Amino acid sequence: MPGSPARGAAVGGGPRVLRKTWTELLAGRVKKQKYDPEREQKLKDSALKLLRYHQNMHDLLLEAEVPQCKKLRLSELIDCGGAEASSDPSTPFIRSAFRDQASRLGVPVGVLSARVFAHSVQQVCVEPSHPVLLSPEQSERLSSLLVSAQRLLAHNMFSRLTFCQELWKAQNSLLLEAVWRLHTHHVVSLQELLQSHPDTEAMTTWLFRNLRFLCELIGASCPSSDTVEAMLSGLVQLLISWGFQGSSDPRRLLESEKIEKMPQVAADVLQRMLAFSLDTLDADSQTTLDHQAVSGWITVYSGRTCCGMIAADSLKSFLSHALTQILTHKPVLKVSDAIQMQKEWSFAKTPHLLIDLYCRVFVTLGPEESIGHLQEVLELQEVNWQHVLSCVSTLVVCFSEAQQLIKDWVASLMARAFESYHLDSMVTAFLIVRQATLEGPYVFPSYADWFKVLRVPRPCMDPTYGSIFCFRLQESWSVPCSC
């Protein structure tokens, strides 16, 4: 270049000094360094840590490539190589590409493949057309990825744990259908995926939100109804199996010790869904989407949804827990409120979705067990009287055998009331009778007829307690005492 001194020329007229190149200078330093295995291992660990925390896997891979291979992208290989038959000749090439790349980067091939696949699944879920479902194009791309992942799994070249951890980094854009298909195609189970989440509360909230979106589709009868129903049924079966494991199955108990947080997570999600449904029905919300979600969720409370897939004791435990939650949901009303508002809680005035929920639970548990559970809850917990009494109406109207069971229960309450001077038992008995009689004489004897046949034991004549009972009967229930 004109005007610039040649290599080795003197500057400013001084003595000529021969300058060394950077390569020569560095070569001299390298020769002085001794081989240190410990230092080499530290460098490898640092490189692996950098790889794990690098946000853009493809850019990192391209930086590490030799110039002749810069155009190679592993995601493109697995994207286009999975949809064909298992005899596809590209399969060995994909495995070879992952091995070469992992060797070049100094990382386990299973970790590398898991990170690449997780990034590809995240790209599939970008810009979804629905909050939980894949579009046809997204579904096709995911199918290709699933086949490739299965092939790598068969050759022990895929780390499930790393894959799960990487997926959760894009939790907000992760579609439920993609997660479900990973589970059904045995790439990673839903149990593995949920167990690997670092934040249990965030994962529970994510699952609850996605179940609500899924239930909206059930209630709206969407075009992909078969897929939606299969997803909802499968997810509920898993949640019930985890959250309400039968004590008679030692294998399940052993599994629960390995996944300690899953039973609590499953029970929490199921409880949140039912609480959301009850809140929506109690508020008589006019929001269409909320009612669609409630309508879709109520379908899971039936033996048909879980038939043959869940142990009978697990299913009954789940439904008993649900019935308890219904009866004790927000117990803000007092007995005096119940007496005044009782007519508004008859069968005809109860929301049809709530009646549907009651009936699904009662059909599986049976009227006798349902009434026994109702009696137990009333004795031990604070209750929502609106739910308790509308539950009684549903039993006597929809189940003929329940009518006699209710009469027997009331008789036992009255006997206890007069024998032990237990005022709460008497109040409960009269509330139940009044509720049953609201449904008409074809269902239950009229209130006056029932009271005529009521025989008060002699303790009612006791001067200390008898006057109290008689006063309560006359003042609160507007009927004369027969004693």
Side-chain angles (χ1 to χ4, degrees):
M1 179 176 178
S4 60
R7 179 175 181 267
V11 180
R16 300 182 61 181
V17 179
L18 185 63
R19 293 184 300 178
K20 294 183 180 181
T21 65
W22 279 108
T23 303
E24 292 171 335
L25 290 172
L26 293 175
R29 291 181 61 84
V30 171
K31 290 179 182 177
K32 296 178 182 180
Q33 294 179 352
K34 296 182 180 180
Y35 175 70
D36 186 352
E38 184 177 352
R39 183 172 179 272
E40 182 181 9
Q41 184 60 42
K42 287 182 179 180
L43 287 173
K44 286 185 177 181
D45 293 341
S46 298
L48 183 58
K49 184 177 181 180
L50 177 64
L51 173 64
R52 286 176 175 168
Y53 285 94
H54 201 285
Q55 296 300 313
N56 192 323
M57 171 59 73
H58 295 303
D59 290 348
L60 182 60
L61 294 179
L62 289 176
E63 291 172 9
E65 288 283 3
V66 294
Q68 296 86 346
C69 300
K70 276 192 176 182
K71 293 184 180 179
L72 175 63
R73 295 175 69 93
L74 295 178
S75 63
E76 293 175 0
L77 288 177
I78 60 178
D79 249 341
C80 64
E84 294 80 7
S86 58
S87 59
D88 182 2
S90 68
T91 302
F93 176 66
I94 293 175
R95 295 200 301 269
S96 177
F98 272 108
R99 287 196 188 97
D100 291 346
Q101 191 68 273
S103 176
R104 189 173 297 113
L105 294 171
V107 298
V109 65
V111 172
L112 176 63
S113 64
R115 286 184 58 85
V116 172
F117 270 89
H119 181 84
S120 297
V121 171
Q122 293 166 11
Q123 292 302 308
V124 167
C125 296
V126 170
E127 297 181 0
S129 57
H130 189 274
V132 292
L133 297 182
L134 297 166
S135 67
E137 295 76 14
Q138 289 172 316
S139 181
E140 185 177 353
R141 286 182 60 194
L142 184 62
S143 296
S144 174
L145 293 173
L146 292 174
V147 175
S148 295
Q150 289 170 336
R151 293 171 181 170
L152 291 176
L153 276 168
H155 289 83
N156 296 319
M157 296 175 61
F158 189 87
S159 170
R160 285 187 170 95
L161 177 59
T162 301
F163 179 72
C164 293
Q165 293 171 340
E166 292 300 314
L167 274 184
W168 285 125
K169 291 181 179 180
Q171 171 180 309
N172 292 333
S173 61
L174 194 59
L175 294 179
L176 184 62
E177 185 180 356
V179 171
W180 180 246
R181 290 182 62 181
L182 289 170
H183 170 82
T184 56
H185 286 75
H186 309 292
V187 176
V188 288
S189 69
L190 186 63
Q191 174 179 305
E192 288 177 286
L193 189 62
L194 298 180
Q195 184 71 15
S196 66
H197 199 294
D199 186 342
T200 301
E201 179 61 27
M203 179 259 292
T204 303
T205 301
W206 177 86
L207 189 54
F208 164 67
R209 183 178 67 251
N210 279 272
L211 277 176
R212 279 184 58 178
F213 286 135
L214 197 62
C215 290
E216 288 176 10
L217 295 176
I218 294 285
S221 301
C222 70
S224 306
S225 57
D226 291 343
T227 300
V228 172
E229 289 177 6
M231 287 174 59
L232 181 60
S233 177
L235 286 168
V236 169
Q237 289 169 13
L238 288 173
L239 292 173
I240 295 175
S241 297
W242 296 336
F244 300 91
Q245 297 174 7
S247 58
S248 60
D249 191 343
R251 179 175 56 84
R252 290 188 182 275
L253 291 176
L254 181 61
E255 291 176 357
S256 68
E257 295 176 0
K258 300 177 181 178
I259 51 170
E260 294 179 358
K261 70 180 181 181
M262 291 315 300
Q264 182 57 44
V265 167
D268 190 20
V269 171
L270 293 170
Q271 188 165 329
R272 287 191 190 190
M273 286 300 300
L274 181 54
F276 157 73
S277 301
L278 295 174
D279 285 339
T280 301
L281 296 176
D282 286 347
D284 195 22
S285 172
Q286 299 302 315
T287 304
T288 303
L289 290 179
D290 284 350
H291 270 84
Q292 287 178 358
V294 172
S295 177
W297 180 248
I298 286 175
T299 63
V300 309
Y301 294 92
S302 68
R304 185 177 63 85
T305 301
C306 309
C307 183
M309 302 300 294
I310 300 176
D313 53 350
S314 294
L315 179 58
K316 284 198 170 187
S317 178
F318 162 64
L319 293 176
S320 296
H321 185 272
L323 182 56
T324 300
Q325 185 179 346
I326 294 169
L327 298 174
T328 59
H329 181 71
K330 296 184 176 178
V332 295
L333 297 175
K334 300 178 181 179
V335 172
S336 57
D337 299 322
I339 296 172
Q340 295 176 6
M341 305 171 65
Q342 201 165 3
K343 290 183 179 179
E344 300 301 318
W345 302 337
S346 64
F347 181 83
K349 296 182 180 181
T350 300
H352 72 278
L353 286 175
L354 186 56
I355 291 175
D356 188 16
L357 174 59
Y358 289 148
C359 289
R360 289 174 181 273
V361 173
F362 296 154
V363 165
T364 303
L365 293 180
E368 185 173 0
E369 185 172 343
S370 299
I371 292 175
H373 192 76
L374 175 59
Q375 181 178 356
E376 181 180 345
V377 171
L378 279 168
E379 290 177 354
L380 299 177
Q381 302 187 50
E382 292 291 326
V383 295
N384 180 320
W385 281 108
Q386 181 178 2
H387 289 175
V388 169
L389 297 177
S390 60
C391 176
V392 170
S393 285
T394 304
L395 278 166
V396 297
V397 171
C398 299
F399 301 88
S400 57
E401 61 268 41
Q403 298 169 16
Q404 185 58 48
L405 292 170
I406 292 289
K407 293 177 183 177
D408 294 342
W409 178 26
V410 169
S412 67
L413 287 171
M414 293 301 295
R416 181 184 178 189
F418 287 116
E419 290 172 4
S420 305
Y421 307 108
H422 195 263
L423 187 59
D424 287 347
S425 294
M426 185 190 71
V427 171
T428 301
F430 274 85
L431 275 172
I432 292 170
V433 169
R434 290 185 71 191
Q435 188 68 25
T437 58
L438 287 176
E439 307 308 331
Y442 70 95
V443 170
F444 202 85
S446 69
Y447 190 65
D449 291 342
W450 173 82
F451 199 85
K452 286 178 183 177
V453 300
L454 175 63
R455 293 188 177 182
V456 181
R458 287 199 60 82
C460 185
M461 304 303 295
D462 183 277
T464 304
Y465 297 99
S467 59
I468 298 176
F469 271 69
C470 291
F471 175 76
R472 294 296 188 186
L473 291 173
Q474 295 178 64
E475 183 182 67
S476 300
W477 311 101
S478 302
V479 293
C481 181
S482 61
C483 62

